[in-house]
Amino acid sequence: MTAVEANISRSMPTRVWRRIARYLTLELFLGIVSIGTIAVLWEFANPLGIPVLSNLPPLSEIVRTSQQLLTSDLYWDGWLLSIRRITSGFLLAQLIGVPIGLLMALHRASFEAAFPIVEILRPIPPVAWIPISILFWPTRELSVIFIVFLGAFWIVLLNTIGGASNVDPNYRRAALSLGSTPRDMFWRIILPATIPSIVTGMAVGMGIAWEMVVAAEMVAGRTGLGYLLWQSLEINAIAQCIICMISIGIAGFLSSEIIRLFGSFVAPWQRMH
Amino acid sequence: MAQVIAPVPTAEIALRSTAPWIIRARRLLRSSRPYYAALGLCMFFGAWFLLVDVFKVWRFRELPGLVPSVKEWLSPDPVYGVSIFTAEYYSHIWASVYRVYSAFISATILGIAIGVLMGWSRVFRGLTFPILEMLRPIPILAWIPLAILLVPGREAPIIGLTFLAAFFVTILNTLLGVRSIDEVYFRAARSLGFSNTAILFHVIVPGALPYIFIGLQIAMGACWFSLVAAEIVSGQAGLGYKVWETYYYVQYETMVIIMATLGLLGYLSSALVRFVGKRLMRWRVRLLAGV
Amino acid sequence: MNGAVAAGALSIRHAGKVYDPEGLNVVALDGVSFDIRSAEFCVVVGPSGCGKTTLLNSIAGFDQLTFGEIYLDGAVLARPNKPPLPGADRIVVFQQGALFPWKTVLWNVSCGPIQQGKANRAAAERQARNLLSRVGLKGIENQYPGSLSGGTKRRVEIVRALMNEPKILLLDEPFRALDALTKSVVQEFLLELYDEIPKTIFFITHDIEEAIFLGDRVVVMTTRPGRVLRTIDVGIDRPRDYRVLTSERFLKLEREVRESIHDEARKAFEAGERELA
Amino acid sequence: MSPIELTKERGVVLSNVAKTFGDEFDLIPVIHDCSFKIEDGQFTILIGPSGCGKTTLINLIAGYERPTSGRISCDGEEVRGPTRDRLVLFQETSLFPWMSVLQNVMYGPVVQGRKKSAQSEAVELLSKVGLQDFRDKYPNQLSGGMQRRAELARTLINKPRILLMDEPFRGLDAMTRQLMQEYLLKLFEGSRQTILFVTTEIDEAILLGDSLVLLSSAPTSVRECIRVDLPRPRSASMLTTQRYAQLKSKVLAILYQEALQSFASGSRAAADMIEAFELRHQAGEP
């Protein structure tokens, strides 16, 4: 208990205070202070002449433009389209990445054959694939989804391989001794033990998927949050730019929260510490 | 391999005196890895060649062929002026490498400094962590328009973006690393009379190093990802810009060369970070058995 | 090294520790008092949760007392809520080991005097090499702790502590993680060092056999809230070796302590199991 | 090597077993030449200095590893691979963290096709080990002692011919360890289940064991076999009897030399090498 908390709690010796004090930690107090000062500095940046913040429109203007934007259909269509692209690209990456990852982890020959190819293709930034994707896929939509797919695919593949090949040998040996058939070993031992790494791969993959949707819509898309962001760049609307950025940030945050919830549902034993 | 293995007396369990890399090489050759790897690569390039160059299956006919691309890459006087013999190729490489490494190194230094500060003082962490957590979910590429509108010049926005990609990751992993150091090492250091700076250099930084290098690996990958996007939008030179320019002017073979080069540079950069990590963290070498 | 100044007399007066004074009022240490003469090997033994670690940390400066005082050589060391600063006069050998894994053995052993400015690097390293070879640990100076066995790591850490010529050596169940055979070897190593370099030692453990084998005086503590149940003068002459373990006096003492502590430990265990159920 | 006639009598027989790890580049002999017998219905103890290859012996008997030379037979047939006749309790818990305690215990019967009776057997065994209220909890919600008891239940439900235990109580605190020892004694004296128990604690070895197999330091061979003629049922009070003290000093004298020998052989002590190798090998290096 730090000094600050100690004297706060000593002044109100009731049990109720114990529960409040748990939330009123030092971090909460400092967090409010720091975010508050930045908001104030941002709002009055121009009169105060603060270097970076003064080039940005004041906070109030951003809030005003956001009200207009939130009511426009373009904005919400953007959300729907981006989410549709993300889900299809992301789900495809899991449906293909996890099985291949498990195969490569459990079958040595396929790992030794496929891994060099992974080592060649993975370092190529997915954004660099956009031209090839546009050439190859018949429609713009498919080319954007392919880029999102690439962003999430490598991560979940490597995490699955890592998870499945590092299963604690004592689990495998115990299961073998208890008389498990190869099918039992896979479904009851290897797969459950790998689930936590797969979920980590999905969470990181989702973050990169959102990066890729922004880039792909920037270049190839005609719609979506990413495209809206580029349009505001063209017409020099900084306020709209910032709102789109924040919206994408919120979307990214929400989707990784969904993955985390999915993870705690699929691997309940993880959080039971 | 049913050799008779003579029991070696315990006193001198000596490793054969041959150099370790020879041992690794001979072990590798005896294992099945190189042969399957060769098989895998043949299948990949074979498929590319058959699908695109030979049978032009379905949509593959739109793509650049394997043979023309390799020919262009290796020819002393390439059709579109970019091959391993032309200066232009290396100028683009240098432009990209310069941007990535200047951004990466500055992000590493600043990131580690701030990460250590956040790990060390609870007040500083209280002030800075919320801001970091708010900015982190925003995809790096979403910063591009703001960078272009606000940051003057041509090089600065690109390097700034690549810096951001590495900066957040490094801070977070350094913070994670500092928090992972067992309290017992701080107590031991204090009772042995270490000053604060001594604790910083001899306990905090080395202790956090393993996490820091996990962060640096991710950061290097993120740098190359963001560099290409930034160069496509606002670059004049650099591999990312060149990818888009060759697509625009229908020079598809050169586009494949640039993509392959990006892949190679990405791989070499990560390998470099791993190598530096191994050197700095020799103490993590597995036990005597020399794993 | 032998002319260590004859200091390190410790006296603990009604030391007490209450956790979370506002809420649940958990009394960890309930007025513990005993003295340790200079250069005496004192062992505190008791079940888990009897506050022996709190006592050790209060001496070392990592924890603070709620009431009572601790004096070192007559001067006040710790007062309620005013813990002493950790220092080289009270070096702790921790339970899970605290050799810096990222530094070589030589660096670890010689860093104390260097960081305190008592010696320059060359002198400290020479002294470290000399001490290491004297205790039979020659040849591992340039290795990293990660590549040493459990027993060797413990011995290096004890050498690192002694390099600083502390007034008191504090040992917090240092051999708990070792298997029994390695433990007996390292225990004997500590005894040999103690015979050669007399030093006040404050050793805590839950292993009765270890307490009697090592200590001149054994302080037996009750389970929570920690109180001194009884103090025993072992009275087995030194140097001691493993044959002592099966001597008549040793077995009598062990039976004595085991009975007085057995029901204490069962109470602590049941409390522990209940918390989990 | 003369073809050793495989004795038909019950129990496990090791004859001139040797095991060497690594390939021809870095050869580490872990077990030099081990021959001993684990009689049926007996509580046999394997005891030796740390890093002397005890874990490797367990793996060889369980069938996870093949001996480099020599032969291991169980009830006359040669040991080929892991079976439910020879089940292992590892040093660290190997309860499947993703299954509840009940599912863990039922795993054996379920995969062996006895689904129907599995649940009732498991519930009955769990109440015998005192974990009936924890059946739906996950392993990481249990204390060290409880995890060990759950693992014992998971093993005993398959009625193994021999129970192999690799320092199972090492991580437990003194009190829990004592209670687990008493519990294991009650279990053994009730069912005469054949047990091979690896430990480095001499008190534990003498309290529990009928016969002690003393191992040398690395590479391991059998130094001596000692019979423990303390009466059954055993109790902790026997720890301070005179007969016990004689046994202990005899065992201590032999093993103390071995522990010293593994320390004395220079900085690259063989024990460090073996301990490191076993850690690496246990981590399942292919």
Side-chain angles (χ1 to χ4, degrees):
Chain A
M1 239 185 0
T2 63
V4 173
E5 275 173 356
N7 45 45
I8 292 174
S9 69
R10 192 161 291 120
S11 58
M12 254 176 80
T14 55
R15 180 58 61 78
V16 168
W17 178 255
R18 301 250 13 95
R19 246 176 268 105
I20 302 170
R22 210 163 335 108
Y23 299 103
L24 198 63
T25 57
L26 189 64
E27 274 79 10
L28 188 69
F29 176 70
L30 289 170
I32 294 166
V33 163
S34 63
I35 292 172
T37 36
I38 288 190
V40 166
L41 290 178
W42 189 344
E43 184 53 26
F44 307 105
N46 279 345
L48 296 174
I50 296 162
V52 174
L53 290 181
S54 54
N55 312 19
L56 294 176
L59 216 52
S60 43
E61 190 197 326
I62 291 175
V63 170
R64 262 200 319 286
T65 24
S66 64
Q67 264 131 23
Q68 290 155 357
L69 205 59
L70 290 186
T71 52
S72 77
D73 296 343
L74 192 65
Y75 177 73
W76 291 110
D77 290 349
W79 266 82
L80 286 177
L81 276 162
S82 291
I83 287 175
R84 200 159 56 81
R85 284 177 183 140
I86 277 271
T87 14
S88 30
F90 179 78
L91 286 183
L92 263 172
Q94 312 314 313
L95 290 177
I96 298 173
V98 171
I100 295 182
L102 288 169
L103 172 70
M104 281 174 73
L106 301 176
H107 181 241
R108 170 177 283 278
S110 54
F111 174 82
E112 284 172 2
F115 199 69
I117 306 168
V118 171
E119 282 296 277
I120 293 174
L121 299 180
R122 189 173 60 85
I124 301 174
V127 180
W129 288 88
I130 294 180
I132 291 274
S133 174
I134 296 171
L135 286 176
F136 180 75
W137 295 104
T139 70
R140 289 274 172 188
E141 203 56 29
L142 278 176
S143 60
V144 172
I145 290 172
F146 175 71
I147 299 298
V148 171
F149 164 84
L150 262 187
F153 174 71
W154 300 119
I155 304 285
V156 78
L157 179 71
L158 291 175
N159 268 283
T160 308
I161 294 175
S165 36
N166 297 332
V167 174
D168 183 335
N170 284 347
Y171 296 154
R172 276 207 299 264
R173 285 178 169 168
L176 267 176
S177 301
L178 291 169
S180 319
T181 61
R183 236 163 57 82
D184 291 323
M185 285 301 284
F186 179 73
W187 291 104
R188 295 171 190 268
I189 306 293
I190 304 282
L191 193 55
T194 314
I195 288 176
S197 326
I198 294 175
V199 170
T200 327
M202 290 169 79
V204 176
M206 180 54 93
I208 297 191
W210 272 102
E211 303 252 0
M212 293 310 128
V213 103
V214 170
E217 282 171 355
M218 154 181 91
V219 175
R222 284 285 177 280
T223 54
L225 278 178
Y227 186 73
L228 205 59
L229 182 65
W230 297 118
Q231 235 189 353
S232 38
L233 168 64
E234 254 89 41
I235 57 170
N236 235 320
I238 299 182
Q240 194 178 318
C241 231
I242 293 175
I243 295 161
C244 287
M245 276 172 66
I246 294 172
S247 319
I248 296 171
I250 293 169
F253 175 73
L254 289 180
S255 28
S256 32
E257 278 307 300
I258 291 167
I259 301 283
R260 210 175 48 75
L261 282 176
F262 171 73
S264 58
F265 170 72
V266 171
W269 69 90
Q270 284 278 282
R271 18 173 199 73
M272 295 278 188
H273 263 288
Chain B
M1 178 182 79
Q3 292 159 317
V4 175
I5 296 162
V8 176
T10 58
E12 31 86 27
I13 298 173
L15 296 175
R16 296 291 187 282
S17 58
T18 45
W21 69 269
I22 296 176
I23 292 179
R24 267 201 297 277
R26 288 217 325 253
R27 257 198 207 133
L28 189 64
L29 281 176
R30 256 197 313 95
S31 76
S32 59
R33 279 171 68 92
Y35 311 105
Y36 278 116
L39 175 74
L41 290 174
C42 292
M43 274 173 20
F44 173 73
F45 289 110
W48 180 357
F49 178 70
L50 292 175
L51 288 172
V52 180
D53 296 42
V54 177
F55 300 108
K56 298 202 184 329
V57 170
W58 185 48
R59 296 289 303 180
F60 285 99
R61 67 179 177 285
E62 308 289 340
L63 299 181
L66 170 66
V67 171
S69 308
V70 171
K71 212 180 281 156
E72 176 80 2
W73 197 359
L74 302 177
S75 85
D77 120 49
V79 174
Y80 303 115
V82 168
S83 81
I84 51 175
F85 297 99
T86 61
E88 190 199 345
Y89 180 54
Y90 295 104
S91 71
H92 287 304
I93 290 179
W94 171 245
S96 290
V97 166
Y98 171 75
R99 288 170 183 152
V100 163
Y101 277 85
S102 52
F104 178 75
I105 289 166
S106 38
T108 303
I109 295 168
L110 259 172
I112 292 180
I114 293 177
V116 164
L117 257 175
M118 284 172 80
W120 178 258
S121 119
R122 194 169 172 208
V123 171
F124 183 80
R125 183 170 64 252
L127 287 171
T128 50
F129 194 73
I131 303 165
L132 192 72
E133 272 308 288
M134 270 170 45
L135 297 178
R136 197 160 57 88
I138 300 174
I140 302 297
L141 305 188
W143 290 87
I144 294 180
L146 215 59
I148 293 168
L149 289 173
L150 295 182
V151 182
R154 173 80 53 213
E155 285 297 304
I158 300 177
I159 294 184
L161 270 161
T162 320
F163 169 86
L164 259 187
F167 188 51
F168 289 138
V169 177
T170 308
I171 291 181
L172 273 172
N173 276 280
T174 308
L175 176 60
L176 216 60
V178 172
R179 308 283 291 166
S180 73
I181 300 172
D182 193 325
E183 169 65 16
V184 85
Y185 294 120
F186 290 106
R187 287 187 170 176
R190 254 184 244 113
S191 57
L192 286 165
F194 280 49
S195 65
N196 275 348
T197 42
I199 289 182
L200 179 65
F201 284 106
H202 296 303
V203 178
I204 291 181
V205 172
L209 226 47
Y211 276 90
I212 290 177
F213 267 89
I214 294 172
L216 293 185
Q217 291 256 25
I218 302 169
M220 181 54 94
C223 276
W224 281 101
F225 279 27
S226 333
L227 172 88
V228 171
E231 279 178 347
I232 284 182
V233 173
S234 71
Q236 269 309 333
L239 296 169
Y241 165 77
K242 196 65 184 167
V243 163
W244 197 249
E245 191 202 44
T246 49
Y247 164 68
Y248 192 74
Y249 292 108
V250 193
Q251 306 162 344
Y252 297 151
E253 284 70 20
T254 314
M255 183 168 70
V256 168
I257 294 170
I258 303 292
M259 281 173 72
T261 314
L262 272 169
L264 203 60
L265 289 172
Y267 179 77
L268 290 176
S269 310
S270 301
L272 179 67
V273 171
R274 267 197 304 275
F275 174 74
V276 170
K278 270 208 185 69
R279 298 292 299 169
L280 284 177
M281 295 192 281
R282 275 194 309 284
W283 56 275
R284 278 170 64 92
V285 72
R286 274 291 157 272
L287 294 177
L288 287 174
V291 167
Chain C
M1 272 297 287
N2 281 355
V5 65
L10 192 78
S11 77
I12 300 169
R13 287 283 165 274
H14 318 298
K17 175 80 182 181
V18 182
Y19 281 105
D20 192 350
E22 235 48 65
L24 311 165
N25 229 329
V26 169
V27 179
L29 217 54
D30 187 6
V32 162
S33 300
F34 58 91
D35 291 352
I36 304 175
R37 286 188 303 283
S38 166
E40 185 183 33
F41 198 130
C42 170
V43 178
V44 176
V45 66
S48 48
C50 71
K52 51 187 188 294
T53 308
T54 314
L55 200 55
L56 182 133
N57 284 337
S58 312
I59 300 170
F62 301 126
D63 203 339
Q64 53 193 10
L65 296 175
T66 319
F67 49 87
E69 288 90 24
I70 299 177
Y71 299 87
L72 176 57
D73 294 341
V76 172
L77 185 69
R79 267 214 183 73
N81 294 328
K82 273 206 266 334
L85 277 173
D89 55 347
R90 291 153 285 118
I91 293 274
V92 181
V93 175
F94 296 93
Q95 179 177 341
Q96 68 271 45
L99 287 179
F100 302 121
W102 43 79
K103 298 284 184 186
T104 62
V105 165
L106 188 63
W107 197 95
N108 264 292
V109 174
S110 59
C111 70
I114 294 172
Q115 293 299 337
Q116 292 150 40
K118 282 192 193 140
N120 62 40
R121 170 165 292 282
E125 283 184 357
R126 206 178 325 103
Q127 196 189 348
R129 279 185 206 283
N130 154 6
L131 190 55
L132 280 171
S133 60
R134 237 171 76 198
V135 295
L137 288 171
K138 212 163 135 46
I140 56 169
E141 287 85 356
N142 301 327
Q143 282 182 32
Y144 288 100
S147 53
L148 301 175
S149 71
T152 316
K153 264 192 275 211
R154 290 282 80 174
R155 292 186 286 171
V156 170
E157 192 161 354
I158 293 172
V159 168
R160 174 173 81 173
L162 289 176
M163 268 290 287
N164 300 282
E165 291 163 8
K167 284 195 184 131
I168 291 185
L169 187 57
L170 302 160
L171 297 121
D172 176 3
E173 295 193 60
F175 309 142
R176 177 161 183 181
L178 301 178
D179 61 83
L181 279 160
T182 320
K183 187 188 285 191
S184 57
V185 170
V186 184
Q187 279 168 347
E188 230 169 73
F189 170 84
L190 178 62
L191 286 177
E192 276 157 28
L193 268 180
Y194 175 69
D195 296 339
E196 211 181 305
I197 313 162
K199 192 74 58 185
T200 313
I201 292 184
F202 185 95
F203 187 105
I204 60 175
T205 178
H206 64 273
D207 180 342
I208 297 163
E209 182 188 80
E210 180 175 61
I212 302 170
F213 178 54
L214 294 176
D216 293 331
R217 221 142 62 78
V218 174
V219 176
V220 183
M221 290 185 67
T222 65
T223 180
R224 200 185 5 225
R227 267 191 299 277
V228 175
L229 187 63
R230 54 185 300 190
T231 314
I232 298 171
D233 283 321
V234 176
I236 297 176
D237 49 17
R238 290 180 189 277
R240 304 177 183 170
D241 72 7
Y242 70 93
R243 272 178 288 275
V244 160
L245 289 174
T246 46
S247 72
E248 190 35 45
R249 174 156 177 73
F250 185 90
L251 285 175
K252 187 172 77 60
L253 277 176
E254 191 183 355
R255 209 174 297 125
E256 230 177 85
V257 173
R258 201 175 282 281
E259 264 106 33
S260 55
I261 209 164
H262 189 70
D263 39 20
E264 289 295 327
R266 179 165 286 283
K267 264 187 262 162
F269 177 73
E270 260 125 28
E273 281 280 306
R274 261 196 313 281
E275 270 153 31
L276 263 174
Chain D
M1 261 180 304
S2 67
I4 295 145
E5 191 264 327
L6 290 182
T7 48
K8 272 284 169 293
E9 28 93 355
R10 301 178 56 76
V12 172
V13 176
L14 280 87
S15 22
N16 310 99
V17 168
K19 179 70 183 174
T20 307
F21 286 124
D23 48 22
E24 72 268 30
F25 299 116
D26 68 342
L27 220 55
I28 305 280
V30 176
I31 295 175
H32 181 36
D33 169 19
C34 264
S35 304
F36 60 89
K37 208 191 314 297
I38 304 165
E39 274 112 15
D40 202 28
Q42 291 284 307
F43 201 124
T44 311
I45 302 275
L46 267 184
I47 184 162
S50 72
C52 75
K54 303 187 290 295
T55 305
T56 312
L57 269 176
I58 288 276
N59 291 337
L60 286 170
I61 297 171
Y64 300 132
E65 308 253 355
R66 307 278 302 139
T68 316
S69 62
R71 189 177 307 278
I72 304 176
S73 71
C74 175
D75 294 349
E77 307 130 46
E78 189 172 355
V79 165
R80 287 258 175 275
T83 78
R84 59 190 170 94
D85 289 340
R86 299 184 304 280
L87 290 178
V88 181
L89 221 66
F90 296 101
Q91 210 169 58
E92 275 85 29
T93 174
S94 65
L95 287 173
F96 306 130
W98 51 86
M99 292 183 196
S100 71
V101 169
L102 183 63
Q103 287 164 330
N104 259 290
V105 178
M106 284 166 56
Y107 185 83
V110 164
V111 289
Q112 289 148 27
R114 293 188 272 113
K115 274 201 182 51
K116 288 181 301 310
S117 62
Q119 171 117 9
S120 53
E121 268 176 66
V123 167
E124 192 246 330
L125 206 53
L126 274 178
S127 53
K128 243 180 83 180
V129 293
L131 293 175
Q132 58 282 9
D133 325 333
F134 299 90
R135 48 180 287 184
D136 298 324
K137 291 245 191 303
Y138 283 103
N140 56 23
Q141 293 173 286
L142 269 55
S143 75
M146 292 186 211
Q147 282 180 1
R148 293 279 84 170
R149 278 182 272 157
E151 223 167 328
L152 257 176
R154 181 177 80 175
T155 313
L156 293 176
I157 197 170
N158 305 287
K159 300 182 184 56
R161 281 281 300 104
I162 175 170
L163 178 56
L164 305 167
M165 301 173 86
D166 185 3
E167 292 185 71
F169 307 146
R170 178 162 181 169
L172 305 177
D173 65 79
M175 196 61 230
T176 319
R177 183 181 212 133
Q178 203 177 330
L179 291 168
M180 285 303 288
Q181 284 166 356
E182 282 161 19
Y183 176 76
L184 189 61
L185 274 174
K186 204 154 33 65
L187 181 100
F188 170 73
E189 280 148 6
S191 64
R192 281 293 165 185
Q193 157 81 43
T194 315
I195 293 180
L196 176 71
F197 189 95
V198 168
T199 182
T200 54
E201 300 279 338
I202 297 170
D203 293 333
E204 188 172 64
I206 298 175
L207 177 66
L208 300 176
D210 292 322
S211 73
L212 309 183
V213 176
L214 273 66
L215 299 173
S216 71
S217 65
T220 310
S221 57
V222 176
R223 271 295 298 273
E224 209 171 314
C225 289
I226 297 177
R227 281 216 61 76
V228 178
D229 48 15
L230 293 173
R232 292 249 179 215
R234 298 277 174 80
S235 74
S237 59
M238 292 179 179
L239 280 179
T240 45
T241 60
Q242 197 47 33
R243 177 66 189 120
Y244 167 83
Q246 283 161 2
L247 277 169
K248 180 168 182 177
S249 55
K250 186 175 177 196
V251 171
L252 251 176
I254 297 169
L255 289 184
Y256 192 71
Q257 305 318 329
E258 291 304 327
L260 266 187
Q261 205 269 335
S262 71
F263 266 83
S265 55
S267 66
R268 287 171 64 95
D272 292 352
M273 294 283 283
I274 304 291
E275 193 176 329
F277 226 95
E278 277 194 345
L279 278 177
R280 185 179 78 144
H281 215 71
Q282 209 167 16
E285 288 279 303

